[in-house]
Amino acid sequence: MAFHKEEIIRFRHCDPAGIVFYPRYLEILNDMVEDWFKVMGYPFEEMGNRLGAGVPTINLNITFMHPCRQGETLSLTLRCLKVGDSSFEINISGEQLGQPILDAQIVLCFTTIGRQVNKLSIPDGIRKKMQEYLTDPTAATI
Amino acid sequence: MAFHKEEIIRFRHCDPAGIVFYPRYLEILNDMVEDWFKVMGYPFEEMGNRLGAGVPTINLNITFMHPCRQGETLSLTLRCLKVGDSSFEINISGEQLGQPILDAQIVLCFTTIGRQVNKLSIPDGIRKKMQEYLTDPTAATI
Amino acid sequence: MAFHKEEIIRFRHCDPAGIVFYPRYLEILNDMVEDWFKVMGYPFEEMGNRLGAGVPTINLNITFMHPCRQGETLSLTLRCLKVGDSSFEINISGEQLGQPILDAQIVLCFTTIGRQVNKLSIPDGIRKKMQEYLTDPTAATI
Amino acid sequence: MAFHKEEIIRFRHCDPAGIVFYPRYLEILNDMVEDWFKVMGYPFEEMGNRLGAGVPTINLNITFMHPCRQGETLSLTLRCLKVGDSSFEINISGEQLGQPILDAQIVLCFTTIGRQVNKLSIPDGIRKKMQEYLTDPTAATI
């Protein structure tokens, strides 16, 4: 199973060269992970307020294949690659009218939030949900 | 030779968990590349206006080792890894009081700006300057 | 006639105090003006590319009545207050579950874009559309 | 007494029209208030961590007189207009090579941070410092 989303490229995303300023793509990807957690039933704000947990990004490897411009629609697909004890790895790819725009591997980790940031085991409910998005259901360890 | 910079972590960089929101790190890295080009004598705005050239990011691989908080000072070091015909690769590492915060490999490419984005050979003047920052001066191809 | 929009408050909007960082509200308002122009048939990107025109903000007077938090939905209403020769004034108010969050008066101006920024008369087609959103249809001068 | 600061306009500040995207000006102004508090001896992060206090913006009235572009230096001046019980009003003006760029009146308020946002009296130490920046030292009520 994959999670899909479309994002309209806006004025605020674009730089003086008229294309998306790349840190803005990372905001778009962060929004998508946020939406995915909401769809799985674990909105970020509840994880923060109720569980004292967050999912900071540990590693990001992203390739930009083609620029995207104001008014274009970026079609994004999120897949889960691995689910470990406290960390998990996802892939997000983006295309515009069939043209590849970006491809990202992102490793995130469940942690406490606050002055001390410590690893947390992924809660069972979220783990089960994540596993439904695994491209290879045998990929259980990160 | 390496290029150094210190960045104070500000309120605007930080998220509800009190740590730097990771797309903000990419703004910090983009500022650093901008400063490096200025120090080399090729400010972004002149490249854009006079040469019709820009340096979009092609690939970014970044690891976040430890969170950074408001009021802390992030010490950044930029080194050049490879200089190719139109693309070049750099490393930026960041630490706070000796603790590693982030480590990034970034591939950027000289291109035209405007409706068409085409590769450009790196102008000779910039190439010579970049080579002074190569960690391994024999690393000439990307 | 008024233009309505709902905006979900996201992680990226919020600051270390857990509430929307106010420059992010201005991004939200800018998006809304962009959406309004699209609905009126004049997307920003076409105005820029075809007409060489833009609508920079000249004055902004905004009051924040109550903070908004992650996961809440901000209901926004845009009304047009005045349409002048090259400038126009709008009001955007925002509420969350009936509680007033923000109220903004914004004056924008049609201008050329590029090295020189000169005032432009509002094109007739856009002017007619804007007038449909006037709260007081006799308010023709800014 | 006034508080001065220079800000170099960067690539990340600018929009597809090549001028500063106005929400970015508000980030610049927020940084300046943050710097001012630091100079007065009350860094934001200490106010948050030690006092559980923050200074959200209540009202902002800003006029943009002239656009600013990448590579230009914006000279900013902050003056204090009024110091009340929990709120205070400041003016920030910006110019570039003698040309007025922006002029802002901002009302901010001391509050608790957390789930409940309640007004706080301005701590005496900060109040005394603020009063040194009053343009009119008799302006004691907001």
Side-chain angles (χ1 to χ4, degrees):
Chain A
M1 192 162 64
F3 176 60
H4 297 284
K5 185 185 176 181
E6 302 219 319
E7 180 89 24
I8 295 168
I9 300 305
R10 292 171 165 286
F11 190 78
R12 74 176 153 86
H13 292 125
C14 296
D15 67 17
I19 61 176
V20 176
F21 180 51
Y22 85 91
R24 292 291 196 175
Y25 278 124
L26 285 318
E27 293 189 359
I28 290 172
L29 299 197
N30 196 75
D31 283 358
M32 191 176 193
V33 173
E34 190 174 344
D35 290 337
W36 181 48
F37 269 76
K38 198 174 180 181
V39 162
M40 292 194 296
Y42 296 86
F44 274 11
E45 63 274 15
E46 289 187 18
M47 294 211 305
N49 295 334
R50 295 193 196 172
L51 305 178
V55 282
T57 294
I58 302 305
N59 179 263
L60 167 76
N61 189 339
I62 184 164
T63 301
F64 302 101
M65 284 87 114
H66 199 82
C68 219
R69 294 170 189 282
Q70 221 183 319
E72 294 179 345
T73 300
L74 183 62
S75 299
L76 296 158
T77 301
L78 182 154
R79 290 184 180 86
C80 193
L81 304 180
K82 295 180 194 168
V83 183
D85 176 53
S86 54
S87 63
F88 59 101
E89 186 175 347
I90 58 174
N91 173 272
I92 300 179
S93 60
E95 59 168 48
Q96 193 261 334
L97 297 179
Q99 184 165 46
I101 300 295
L102 60 84
D103 190 71
Q105 268 72 244
I106 314 177
V107 181
L108 303 101
C109 187
F110 272 74
T111 68
T112 55
I113 52 178
R115 293 305 300 173
Q116 285 293 86
V117 174
N118 297 315
K119 283 188 184 182
L120 285 176
S121 290
I122 302 176
D124 278 348
I126 309 182
R127 175 188 304 278
K128 277 179 197 159
K129 283 284 179 187
M130 281 183 177
Q131 286 169 342
E132 297 175 15
Y133 291 86
L134 276 177
T135 44
D136 173 5
T138 63
T141 339
I142 202 157
Chain B
M1 191 161 66
F3 176 60
H4 297 285
K5 185 184 175 181
E6 302 218 319
E7 181 89 23
I8 295 168
I9 300 304
R10 292 169 165 287
F11 191 79
R12 74 174 153 87
H13 292 125
C14 297
D15 66 19
I19 62 176
V20 177
F21 180 51
Y22 84 90
R24 291 290 196 176
Y25 278 125
L26 285 319
E27 293 190 359
I28 290 172
L29 299 197
N30 196 74
D31 282 359
M32 191 177 194
V33 174
E34 189 174 344
D35 290 337
W36 181 47
F37 269 76
K38 198 173 180 179
V39 162
M40 292 195 295
Y42 295 86
F44 274 11
E45 63 273 16
E46 290 188 16
M47 292 210 306
N49 294 335
R50 296 192 194 171
L51 305 179
V55 282
T57 294
I58 302 304
N59 179 264
L60 167 75
N61 190 338
I62 185 164
T63 301
F64 301 101
M65 284 86 113
H66 200 83
C68 219
R69 294 171 190 281
Q70 224 184 317
E72 294 179 345
T73 299
L74 183 62
S75 299
L76 297 159
T77 301
L78 182 154
R79 291 184 180 86
C80 194
L81 303 180
K82 293 181 194 167
V83 183
D85 176 52
S86 55
S87 62
F88 58 101
E89 187 175 347
I90 59 175
N91 173 273
I92 300 180
S93 60
E95 60 168 49
Q96 193 262 333
L97 296 180
Q99 184 164 47
I101 300 296
L102 61 84
D103 190 71
Q105 269 70 247
I106 314 175
V107 181
L108 303 102
C109 187
F110 272 75
T111 67
T112 55
I113 52 178
R115 293 305 301 173
Q116 284 294 86
V117 173
N118 297 314
K119 282 188 183 180
L120 283 177
S121 289
I122 302 175
D124 278 350
I126 309 181
R127 175 186 304 276
K128 278 180 195 158
K129 283 284 180 189
M130 280 183 176
Q131 287 169 341
E132 297 175 14
Y133 291 87
L134 276 176
T135 43
D136 172 4
T138 64
T141 339
I142 201 156
Chain C
M1 193 161 64
F3 176 60
H4 296 285
K5 184 184 176 182
E6 302 220 317
E7 181 90 22
I8 295 168
I9 301 304
R10 292 169 164 288
F11 190 79
R12 73 174 153 86
H13 293 126
C14 297
D15 67 18
I19 61 176
V20 177
F21 180 51
Y22 84 90
R24 291 290 196 176
Y25 278 125
L26 285 317
E27 294 189 359
I28 290 171
L29 299 197
N30 196 75
D31 283 359
M32 191 177 192
V33 174
E34 189 174 343
D35 290 337
W36 180 48
F37 269 76
K38 199 175 180 180
V39 162
M40 292 195 295
Y42 295 86
F44 274 11
E45 62 274 15
E46 289 187 18
M47 293 210 306
N49 295 334
R50 295 193 194 171
L51 305 178
V55 283
T57 293
I58 302 305
N59 179 266
L60 166 76
N61 189 338
I62 184 164
T63 301
F64 301 102
M65 284 86 112
H66 200 82
C68 219
R69 295 172 188 280
Q70 223 183 316
E72 294 179 346
T73 299
L74 183 62
S75 299
L76 297 158
T77 301
L78 181 155
R79 291 185 178 85
C80 193
L81 303 179
K82 294 181 194 167
V83 183
D85 177 52
S86 54
S87 62
F88 59 101
E89 186 174 348
I90 58 175
N91 173 272
I92 300 179
S93 60
E95 60 168 47
Q96 193 261 333
L97 296 180
Q99 184 164 48
I101 300 295
L102 60 84
D103 189 70
Q105 269 70 246
I106 314 176
V107 182
L108 303 102
C109 188
F110 272 76
T111 67
T112 55
I113 51 178
R115 293 305 299 174
Q116 286 293 88
V117 173
N118 297 315
K119 282 188 183 180
L120 283 176
S121 289
I122 302 176
D124 278 348
I126 308 181
R127 175 187 304 278
K128 276 179 198 158
K129 283 284 180 189
M130 281 183 177
Q131 286 169 342
E132 297 175 16
Y133 291 86
L134 275 176
T135 44
D136 173 3
T138 63
T141 338
I142 199 155
Chain D
M1 191 161 66
F3 176 60
H4 297 284
K5 185 185 176 181
E6 302 218 319
E7 181 89 25
I8 295 167
I9 300 304
R10 291 170 166 286
F11 190 78
R12 74 174 152 87
H13 292 125
C14 297
D15 68 17
I19 62 176
V20 177
F21 181 51
Y22 85 91
R24 291 292 196 175
Y25 279 124
L26 286 318
E27 294 189 359
I28 290 172
L29 299 197
N30 196 75
D31 282 359
M32 191 176 193
V33 173
E34 189 174 344
D35 290 338
W36 180 48
F37 269 76
K38 198 174 180 180
V39 162
M40 292 194 295
Y42 295 86
F44 274 11
E45 63 273 16
E46 289 187 17
M47 293 210 305
N49 295 334
R50 296 192 195 173
L51 306 179
V55 282
T57 293
I58 302 305
N59 179 264
L60 166 76
N61 189 338
I62 184 164
T63 302
F64 301 102
M65 285 86 114
H66 199 83
C68 219
R69 294 170 188 283
Q70 221 185 318
E72 293 179 345
T73 299
L74 183 62
S75 299
L76 297 159
T77 301
L78 182 154
R79 289 185 181 87
C80 193
L81 303 180
K82 293 180 194 167
V83 183
D85 176 52
S86 54
S87 62
F88 59 101
E89 185 174 348
I90 59 175
N91 173 272
I92 300 179
S93 60
E95 59 168 49
Q96 193 262 333
L97 297 179
Q99 184 165 48
I101 300 296
L102 61 84
D103 190 70
Q105 268 71 246
I106 314 177
V107 181
L108 303 101
C109 186
F110 272 75
T111 68
T112 55
I113 51 178
R115 292 306 300 173
Q116 284 295 85
V117 174
N118 298 315
K119 282 189 183 182
L120 284 177
S121 290
I122 303 175
D124 279 348
I126 309 182
R127 175 186 304 278
K128 277 178 197 158
K129 283 284 179 188
M130 281 183 176
Q131 286 169 341
E132 298 175 14
Y133 291 86
L134 275 177
T135 44
D136 174 2
T138 64
T141 337
I142 201 158

